[in-house]
Amino acid sequence: MPAHALDNGLARTPPMGWNSWNSFHCDVSAALVEATADAMVAFGMKDAGYTYVNIDDCWMLKQRGARGELVADPAKFPQGIEAVAAYVHRKGLKLGIYESAGATTCAGYPGSIGHEQADAAQFARWGVDYLKYDNCGDYQGKTYPQRYTAMRDALAHSGRAILYSICEWGNQSPWDWAPAIGNLWRTTQDITPRWSTDQPANRYPQGILDILDQQAGLSQASHPGAWNDPDMLEVGNGYLDDDENRAHFSLWALLNAPLIAGNDLRHMSKEVREVLTNREVITVDQDWGGHQGTKVRDDGDTEVWAKPMSDGSVAVILLNRRRGPVEIATTTREIGLKAASSYTVRDLWKHTEAASQGSISASVPTHAVAMFRVWPGNGERAR
């Protein structure tokens, strides 16, 4: 049985925001973070629910300061992290930061193992709201749960509510132990902006379908305050086409994944912005009931996924993994809806709806999905 959820009152729905790594890697700066916060507001992402602006690796100097403290790189953050946090907070957003549960980060900067109390207190003083805690560096003989619990306890004593994201790449089945330690935990190796790489589950990097295949069977670990994390979004990063972007976003929403954008928000296209701000799809991810979607049918090249919603409706995805178009069909019974004389079927991408006697079908293009929300009855519901 999965561990009980960490009781810090945070992440009652999956967190939404942005992270610097997928597009910028080590090229991170105060100017980038602040401009991204501006873009998040200007382009409707804040209004759609995106909250966190997260700095990833390479934000600090290669050595700790004279008192053992972490030091923000003055060339990248000339006024320090605290000033960036204040800027982000003035926008009505929250700031995230990165560290690792080893002696070094993945890019070779100082890690937090053995410094958890001091680093957590420093993050709190700076006004940090979210910590992504990675898995690189020397573990100094400590187990995974020991290393991640040490930072959990340090955050709890920091005097600030800081959402805790465990990034141990799914190495030691974190869905079995991490819910009592963190608000979310990575379930896989790092994502790459490819539809599929056909990599085994333990290989890096992973495409969208490679990661999706590893989520089946993990839904019982996920609930409010504690979420499976199939890694950050690659929507808009230049390799996925429009159908693949919509499919990726739809599937992550059905999985109750944290919706952490990884593209350059300052220069995204209208099409990418429309994907990231589709409120009907976001509503599926953010449903307060917190039930993670599951695969209900696998026909090889096509699949059916479904997620029960708190109002009695069911969200459903018809997925075409290969070439199309292909007709995919399911029924209200198969996706778990109660019997009714009729149903209302809402297309969450076309924003249209129709009545059904129980069948749900669509012609789905290459590497694409059709996504619906289905209610028993004639359409009287809250949306």
Side-chain angles (χ1 to χ4, degrees), residues 12-352:
R12 303 310 296 171
T13 60
M16 297 175 62
W18 173 87
N19 178 284
S20 59
W21 186 257
N22 285 357
S23 286
F24 299 98
H25 298 280
C26 277
D27 189 18
V28 64
S29 66
L32 171 66
V33 174
E34 292 174 3
T36 298
D38 293 343
M40 195 177 285
V41 174
F43 297 138
M45 293 186 70
K46 177 189 173 188
D47 288 343
Y50 292 85
T51 302
Y52 293 97
V53 185
N54 294 346
I55 304 166
D56 210 279
D57 205 349
C58 311
W59 60 266
M60 63 186 113
L61 293 180
K62 285 290 181 85
Q63 301 293 329
R64 289 178 176 267
R67 297 182 302 278
E69 75 278 12
L70 296 170
V71 181
D73 185 334
K76 297 177 179 180
F77 296 89
Q79 294 181 289
I81 301 298
E82 188 171 6
V84 176
Y87 185 95
V88 169
H89 292 159
R90 286 195 297 272
K91 295 287 179 178
L93 301 168
K94 295 182 178 181
L95 186 79
I97 208 160
Y98 167 99
E99 249 295 359
S100 186
T104 60
T105 72
C106 297
Y109 293 82
S112 280
I113 194 168
H115 298 270
E116 293 90 352
Q117 293 288 337
D119 291 354
Q122 189 169 7
F123 297 150
R125 287 195 302 273
W126 284 345
V128 167
D129 305 291
Y130 183 120
L131 173 64
K132 175 183 172 183
Y133 204 43
D134 216 336
N135 195 32
C136 285
D138 183 354
Y139 300 164
Q140 300 180 358
K142 296 182 179 178
T143 67
Y144 280 54
Q146 283 173 337
R147 290 182 295 119
Y148 285 99
T149 297
M151 182 55 82
R152 176 201 66 186
D153 293 345
L155 293 173
H157 290 93
S158 72
R160 186 174 181 84
I162 299 177
L163 191 150
Y164 187 26
S165 169
I166 290 174
C167 184
E168 62 89 88
W169 319 321
N171 284 357
Q172 293 198 350
S173 304
W175 43 88
D176 289 333
W177 52 266
I181 300 174
N183 296 113
L184 50 144
W185 51 89
R186 277 275 298 281
T187 58
T188 67
Q189 297 294 310
D190 286 1
I191 196 170
T192 190
R194 301 289 196 281
W195 184 245
S196 176
T197 61
D198 296 319
Q199 293 274 30
N202 62 347
R203 294 290 299 278
Y204 166 86
Q206 301 275 287
I208 306 307
L209 293 185
D210 308 320
I211 287 178
L212 177 68
D213 290 343
Q214 295 169 64
Q215 307 314 302
L218 303 185
S219 61
Q220 292 305 308
S222 174
H223 47 279
W227 307 104
N228 290 307
D229 177 10
D231 206 2
M232 300 171 288
L233 293 165
E234 293 282 12
V235 172
N237 276 343
Y239 293 90
L240 303 177
D241 65 27
D242 288 344
D243 281 334
E244 291 167 341
N245 277 329
R246 282 187 288 269
H248 176 24
F249 194 69
S250 300
L251 289 161
W252 263 229
L254 200 87
L255 291 169
N256 286 3
L259 297 180
I260 306 296
N263 59 314
D264 185 348
L265 301 187
R266 304 168 304 172
H267 303 117
M268 60 182 166
S269 68
K270 175 177 178 288
E271 290 77 15
V272 167
R273 185 169 70 250
E274 287 176 350
V275 171
L276 291 173
T277 58
N278 183 327
R279 297 202 187 192
E280 294 195 67
V281 175
I282 290 170
T283 294
V284 173
D285 180 80
Q286 295 290 296
D287 183 63
W288 63 265
H291 298 291
Q292 180 174 317
T294 58
K295 181 163 58 177
V296 298
R297 197 176 81 232
D298 187 338
D299 297 323
D301 287 348
T302 65
E303 296 173 4
V304 177
W305 291 70
K307 166 185 163 66
M309 301 287 286
S310 57
D311 69 347
S313 65
V314 170
V316 59
I317 285 177
L318 310 178
L319 167 65
N320 179 15
R321 298 171 64 102
R322 304 300 177 189
R323 299 204 62 80
V326 61
E327 190 77 13
I328 306 175
T330 185
T331 65
T332 52
R333 181 175 181 179
E334 184 175 46
I335 65 172
L337 271 168
K338 66 181 182 182
S341 58
S342 65
Y343 301 85
T344 299
V345 180
R346 174 85 179 176
D347 188 313
L348 302 190
W349 286 105
K350 295 180 179 177
H351 308 296
T352 59

